[in-house]
Amino acid sequence: MSDALIEKISKLKAERNAVILAHNYQPPEIQDIADFTGDSLGLSIKASKTDSVVIVFCGVLFMAETAAVLSPQKIVLLPDKNAGCPMADMITAEQLRQLKAQHPDALVVTYVNSSAEVKAESDYCCTSANAAEIVGSLPEDRKIIFVPDQHLGRFVSEKTRRQLILWPGYCASHIVITDDDIKNAKKKYPNAVVMAHPECSELVKALSDQVLSTSQMLRFAKDSPAKEFIVATEVGMIHPLSKQRPDALFVPASEKALCHNMKKITLEKLLWSLQDMQYRIEIPQDIAAKARKALDRMVEVLPSK
Ligand code: SF4
């Protein structure tokens, strides 16, 4: 069944001149069929550099929006129109405008896990990998608003020793991991290296050996001599890590760390997406131009990223 589906998807992909992107948290069969896997921004940048006409983003809405902002000339499809990100939805453009009005002299740094409208209201975008560098590069005398993830924000604040005006957003799939989960996993695997995503709670991060984005986890595990890893992020991450290091054991810190939105994408939906050219993600030009500016400013600060 799935072989036939995979064949149909590959055939249609070629006919449509499409590129398939899959986030690291996607189901294994989706990651395995994708042209590129990785984090949301890295994938959008890669796709923008291909000569494909269509981008199918197997991920959630804000990711497809970012791809559409970076590739305005391409058709961007999200296979399930209901695959959203609850954390991105925790702040609207209007709420950010109100926050900016309360702090008119503040610069706004927005995590890529946000809507295009919210990015458009921001001075800089950042990823979980470069957030501290972006914040650290800003003038000392400027206040900084950081949205939407409070946990990434606290991590950045601690790293840069800068006070940030935080928004109370969070990722439910990450904060479900508890300090007890880490303690229990450590008891079971005393030699394991603990890698935690910055979206985890402060207690979990404090108990971890490394705090890393998904791309950083892959790089770190690739070069590490360790044979066992406890992984405190969405459980989908176990697949690319194990694929890259089949000689090592990767254990999820909690099986509950599951993003249901990420798992909405199936092979069938991917096929239908290519068949029906759905669901097309289009960003109004003015919003896209402003969001693009915030993304470009991030790249200017970090030219090598
Ligand atoms: S894992 Fe969290 S931040 Fe990522 S898409 Fe799911 S809800 Fe959003």
Side-chain angles (χ1 to χ4, degrees):
M1 172 64 185
S2 103
D3 280 354
L5 263 178
I6 289 167
E7 209 183 303
K8 280 188 193 165
I9 291 168
S10 305
K11 198 166 159 260
L12 254 185
K13 187 184 80 161
E15 277 171 33
R16 301 280 196 217
N17 189 5
V19 65
I20 299 175
L21 311 180
H23 188 269
N24 287 320
Y25 298 159
Q26 282 291 294
E29 63 278 15
I30 300 290
Q31 294 195 35
D32 291 345
I33 203 177
D35 296 294
F36 300 111
T37 56
D39 61 64
S40 65
L41 187 69
L43 286 173
S44 296
I45 292 173
K46 262 190 202 153
S48 71
K49 291 180 179 160
T50 67
D51 55 12
S52 65
V53 175
V54 178
I55 297 173
V56 188
F57 209 127
C58 299
V60 295
L61 178 61
F62 79 79
M63 300 178 179
E65 284 190 346
T66 305
V69 165
L70 293 182
S71 298
Q73 73 292 358
K74 296 187 196 284
I75 296 170
V76 178
L77 305 174
L78 180 66
D80 185 320
K81 68 173 186 303
N82 295 316
C85 168
M87 178 165 80
D89 293 342
M90 283 176 191
I91 187 163
T92 62
E94 181 50 32
Q95 285 172 317
L96 181 52
R97 279 193 288 273
Q98 285 173 13
L99 189 61
K100 281 162 67 172
Q102 286 166 29
H103 305 279
D105 52 342
L107 290 167
V108 178
V109 179
T110 295
Y111 188 21
V112 283
N113 298 25
S114 53
S115 68
E117 283 93 346
V118 166
K119 287 185 182 73
E121 289 292 331
S122 310
D123 296 299
Y124 295 84
C125 278
C126 71
T127 65
S128 56
N130 66 29
E133 283 172 86
I134 299 288
V135 166
S137 75
L138 301 179
E140 295 278 347
D141 58 341
R142 295 293 296 271
K143 281 195 207 167
I144 299 169
I145 292 171
F146 188 94
V147 300
D149 185 24
Q150 59 179 303
H151 298 289
L152 174 61
R154 285 203 199 97
F155 174 67
V156 169
S157 175
E158 199 181 292
K159 270 195 121 176
T160 57
R161 293 165 196 255
R162 299 278 305 257
Q163 269 206 340
L164 303 177
I165 300 157
L166 297 177
W167 187 256
Y170 60 87
C171 168
S173 312
H174 281 88
I175 62 156
V176 79
I177 305 169
T178 64
D179 48 331
D180 277 346
D181 288 330
I182 304 294
K183 286 179 199 157
N184 292 337
K186 274 180 154 181
K187 258 187 225 153
K188 212 166 161 193
Y189 302 98
N191 299 320
V193 175
V194 184
M195 303 191 289
H197 193 277
E199 289 172 24
C200 289
S201 73
E202 284 59 57
L203 278 175
V204 164
K205 286 187 293 235
L207 288 170
S208 302
D209 300 303
Q210 300 286 332
V211 179
L212 304 166
S213 70
T214 57
S215 302
Q216 288 172 329
M217 282 184 190
L218 280 161
R219 275 200 295 276
F220 177 81
K222 189 169 172 231
D223 299 332
S224 167
K227 294 276 188 199
E228 290 178 349
F229 298 84
I230 296 161
V231 185
T233 188
E234 209 276 345
V235 291
M237 193 62 204
I238 300 297
H239 182 67
L241 286 166
S242 307
K243 214 169 155 180
Q244 178 188 252
R245 282 275 318 267
D247 63 310
L249 178 69
F250 295 92
V251 186
S254 167
E255 294 284 355
K256 288 188 193 147
L258 190 74
C259 177
H260 296 286
N261 281 282
M262 282 284 183
K263 310 306 186 216
K264 283 181 178 162
I265 312 294
T266 61
L267 285 175
E268 284 84 356
K269 287 182 192 169
L270 175 51
L271 176 65
W272 299 332
S273 178
L274 281 162
Q275 265 171 0
D276 304 335
M277 296 295 277
Q278 280 188 9
Y279 293 90
R280 190 157 178 187
I281 305 301
E282 287 171 291
I283 312 291
Q285 262 185 8
D286 54 330
I287 304 276
K290 286 190 204 157
R292 168 106 206 198
K293 220 175 240 173
L295 285 161
D296 285 347
R297 281 202 200 104
M298 171 188 75
V299 178
E300 278 161 27
V301 173
L302 308 161
S304 61
K305 301 269 161 38

